[in-house]
Amino acid sequence: MPFSFPTGRARFAVAVAACALALTTLVGCSDGDGGGDSATKSAASPSAGGPRVTIDNFKFQPASLTVAPGAKITVINDDTTTHTLTATKGASFDTGDLAPGKSATVTAPAKAGEFPWDCTIHPFMKGTLTVK
Ligand SMILES: [Cu+2]
């Protein structure tokens, strides 16, 4: 017999053991980093304090945002496709193409007013920035 059953079985057992070990290590690692990671993430989201817009499911959230003149706005693409957040009138802020999972920072105009934006790839996606 070219194929030896016990050897195959032994290999399988080794593979399973290696997997289990890798899994344990992985879980151990993510447990260890987990706290740090999620702390970093939540620090980057609400506790960072800055205004931000999240893009998800072809929508800007929030679709209208009020900020101070010159404020830095973090734009996060949480969607599965590329989007932009681009001023359409009266201002020139633009994230450029934002791949899924990427974020960018735009600067609000220094003057008060209402500045509509859209996604240049999906013009039906709209929002408004109010500066005051
Ligand atoms: Cu889009």
Side-chain angles (χ1 to χ4, degrees):
M1 252 212 303
F3 176 78
S4 150
F5 182 68
T7 305
R9 206 184 147 85
R11 262 195 209 140
F12 177 74
V14 167
V16 168
C19 268
L21 192 69
L23 204 66
T24 310
T25 310
L26 208 68
V27 170
C29 276
S30 52
D31 264 356
D33 297 352
D37 259 324
S38 46
T40 309
K41 265 177 203 147
S42 49
S45 0
S47 48
R52 65 184 189 125
V53 176
T54 302
I55 306 171
D56 192 17
N57 197 25
F58 292 86
K59 283 191 191 115
F60 294 107
Q61 295 173 338
S64 51
L65 182 69
T66 301
V67 300
K72 303 265 191 235
I73 304 159
T74 304
V75 182
I76 303 159
N77 184 2
D78 264 347
D79 212 346
T80 52
T81 190
T82 298
H83 296 291
T84 79
L85 186 156
T86 307
T88 53
K89 209 169 66 180
S92 59
F93 54 86
D94 182 11
T95 60
D97 285 1
L98 213 51
K102 298 289 183 191
S103 64
T105 304
V106 297
T107 304
K111 59 186 177 190
E114 289 203 349
F115 306 96
W117 78 66
D118 70 5
C119 169
T120 58
I121 303 167
H122 314 101
F124 59 90
M125 295 173 59
K126 290 176 187 304
T128 304
L129 179 68
T130 300
V131 175
K132 63 176 186 187

